[in-house]
Amino acid sequence: MLNHQNVYNAATQITEYILKSVSAEDSWGTTDYTDWGPIITVLNVENLLKCGISVNEGWTIVKGKDTTHCSIEKCINYLSNKVQCNGAFGADFWDTCKLATLIVEYNLHDYFEYNKIHAYIMDFVAGGGLEVQTTDYSQSAEWSGPGTYAACVQYLFLSGERDIANDILSKAIALQQIDGSFVGKKNRTGDNIIHPIRHTAQMLKVILKSNYGNDADKIEKIKHWMESVQGSSGEYDDFGQFITYYTAYAALAFLALPTYPQPHTDLAIDYLLSKVHDGKVDDFGGTVMAVQAFDAYLGANSVSSIYKTIQISHAEDLLIENKELKNNIEELSKTIEQYHEKYKDADIVFSKKDAWKWGIWFGLITLLLGVILPIIINVILEVF
């Protein structure tokens, strides 16, 4: 069985790493996939808000002599500037839906041209964009498929567009495979581009919050497939790529179940814990996906206290540092007092090192006056 404190410590460590790693332009990203910066920033902002940091609350990053003042508000302004003229955002439609969901969930409308983003999503759906993006090989959105449908449905439910959301969800349900899974875009040879767990996990979470959530057979079929493809260490592997992402998606889906399958869930969380090193899990994307899984495992109350834990930890570090500084000052004061007592009657005080230096100079001056100066005087007298 998992240790709750270990998961809390890992989530705290990652959150502290995220706080320290915000870039000069108030964002986060990955060097491998540079166009993922905006969506990774969305997910990181979401995580920090869950951890109890308010929008206007700031934190300070100290690197050598440089001090940077950061805040979630600055990161949100970065996101706002990344929204395109037509309301699109990020690398694909999934990114746009996740940003819109963040705005609605945390009431961030004042920071964005929200109506433009909402209109873009509605037009995309009405124009059959979800279907085209999933089936058209010319489209660059390799991650498209039921997972994107799920992200769109999640947003539409939150924004009050329930009829359209239910219509999209029914289309997504029709994409379910015989084994219970949901698969995404395929390449020209018919192979999945992305592991089906990403699509299946997201669909399960949305289904559970819809009318389909009462269909016990459907839910059990999805859960059984997810359990059957899990690796022995709890991972979801796909030729060595994005394992952290997929495993986090699975953990999030398991934890969304009314009664989650503990052995499989614990294995997935345990695998993610094993990948945490110095607050990071692979790249920034993997890091934020892992901490989202940890957050879901811990629950809202525990997660909301993480930032307070970090603040307390920093305060304790400063207290220790101040105590050490105070002790150093006291020791220095004692040393000064000792020297003051020792040399209080002396007019001029030289250390041994100073006396040695002055001795050399005195010898040179004596040599000059006793040897060289008489010679110079004799020469002058002979001339005159």
Side-chain angles (χ1 to χ4, degrees):
M1 186 174 180
L2 276 176
N3 184 306
H4 185 278
Q5 189 61 47
N6 289 344
V7 180
Y8 185 87
N9 291 344
T12 303
Q13 189 180 23
I14 290 176
T15 302
E16 189 163 12
Y17 171 78
I18 289 171
L19 289 170
K20 291 178 179 178
S21 302
V22 62
S23 73
E25 60 176 0
D26 304 306
S27 66
W28 294 268
T30 173
T31 55
D32 297 330
Y33 299 93
T34 54
D35 58 341
W36 289 7
I39 186 58
I40 290 174
T41 302
V42 167
L43 300 178
N44 273 325
V45 166
E46 179 185 11
N47 178 67
L48 294 178
L49 290 169
K50 285 180 181 177
C51 289
I53 308 178
S54 65
V55 172
N56 298 317
E57 193 169 0
W59 66 95
T60 301
I61 301 174
V62 179
K63 293 181 179 179
K65 295 181 179 180
D66 297 327
T67 301
T68 304
H69 299 287
C70 311
S71 69
I72 293 180
E73 186 173 30
K74 288 183 177 180
C75 300
I76 291 172
N77 288 333
Y78 160 85
L79 294 174
S80 180
N81 290 330
K82 290 297 180 180
V83 178
Q84 299 172 30
C85 295
N86 63 350
F89 171 83
D92 57 30
F93 186 65
W94 188 88
D95 295 2
T96 307
C97 293
K98 296 302 286 187
L99 173 64
T101 299
L102 177 74
I103 294 170
V104 175
E105 278 192 318
Y106 292 94
N107 195 27
L108 303 175
H109 303 73
D110 291 343
Y111 293 94
F112 297 88
E113 293 185 65
Y114 171 71
N115 290 335
K116 184 167 66 175
I117 298 171
H118 180 75
Y120 172 79
I121 292 173
M122 298 299 288
D123 290 344
F124 190 92
V125 170
L130 284 167
E131 294 88 342
V132 172
Q133 196 179 65
T134 301
T135 57
D136 188 349
Y137 291 115
S138 66
Q139 296 284 320
S140 60
E142 295 181 344
W143 296 69
S144 62
T148 303
Y149 281 77
C152 183
V153 169
Q154 180 188 18
Y155 165 68
L156 292 174
F157 274 136
L158 285 172
S159 64
E161 305 284 356
R162 299 196 65 85
D163 290 341
I164 299 175
N166 283 319
D167 180 58
I168 295 171
L169 182 57
S170 64
K171 292 177 181 178
I173 290 288
L175 299 175
Q176 188 174 21
Q177 306 297 297
I178 295 175
D179 60 6
S181 68
F182 290 87
V183 302
K185 204 166 185 177
K186 297 178 181 293
N187 58 26
R188 294 186 181 279
T189 60
D191 297 320
N192 293 317
I193 297 176
I194 299 300
H195 196 305
I197 191 64
R198 179 180 186 269
H199 301 286
T200 306
Q202 291 184 84
M203 282 297 299
L204 176 58
K205 288 183 65 180
V206 168
I207 288 170
L208 288 169
K209 293 184 177 182
S210 71
N211 294 332
Y212 293 98
N214 297 320
D215 190 336
D217 290 339
K218 182 178 291 295
I219 301 300
E220 183 60 30
K221 192 173 184 180
I222 296 172
K223 182 170 76 71
H224 176 73
W225 177 84
M226 290 176 58
E227 293 172 346
S228 69
V229 296
Q230 186 178 31
S232 59
S233 297
E235 82 286 359
Y236 287 81
D237 196 355
D238 184 30
F239 310 110
Q241 289 185 320
F242 306 113
I243 301 175
T244 300
Y245 292 61
Y246 300 143
T247 306
Y249 277 119
L252 287 164
F254 281 141
L255 289 163
L257 291 164
T259 303
Y260 68 83
Q262 189 168 337
H264 293 277
T265 307
D266 286 4
L267 266 178
I269 296 291
D270 215 20
Y271 174 83
L272 295 173
L273 283 175
S274 72
K275 297 299 177 182
V276 180
H277 300 291
D278 299 322
K280 191 176 181 181
V281 184
D282 301 329
D283 61 4
F284 263 117
T287 301
V288 71
M289 286 303 303
V291 80
Q292 284 198 343
F294 296 156
D295 289 351
Y297 175 82
L298 292 169
N301 290 335
S302 293
V303 174
S304 65
S305 68
I306 284 178
Y307 187 53
K308 291 180 181 177
T309 299
I310 293 172
Q311 288 177 309
I312 291 170
S313 175
H314 286 179
E316 290 174 346
D317 289 342
L318 286 173
L319 182 61
I320 293 171
E321 187 176 329
N322 286 339
K323 284 181 178 178
E324 291 176 351
L325 182 59
K326 183 180 179 181
N327 290 336
N328 290 339
I329 292 173
E330 288 176 352
E331 289 296 323
L332 183 59
S333 297
K334 290 178 182 178
T335 302
I336 292 172
E337 185 63 29
Q338 289 171 359
Y339 275 103
H340 178 72
E341 286 295 321
K342 186 175 181 180
Y343 300 110
K344 63 182 180 180
D345 296 326
D347 294 325
I348 300 175
V349 178
F350 293 108
S351 66
K352 291 180 179 179
K353 185 176 181 180
D354 290 335
W356 175 253
K357 290 179 181 179
W358 283 106
I360 293 174
W361 280 106
F362 182 76
L364 289 173
I365 293 171
T366 302
L367 178 64
L368 176 64
L369 294 175
V371 179
I372 300 174
L373 186 58
I375 295 173
I376 294 173
I377 291 173
N378 288 333
V379 171
I380 294 171
L381 290 174
E382 288 177 4
V383 171
F384 293 97

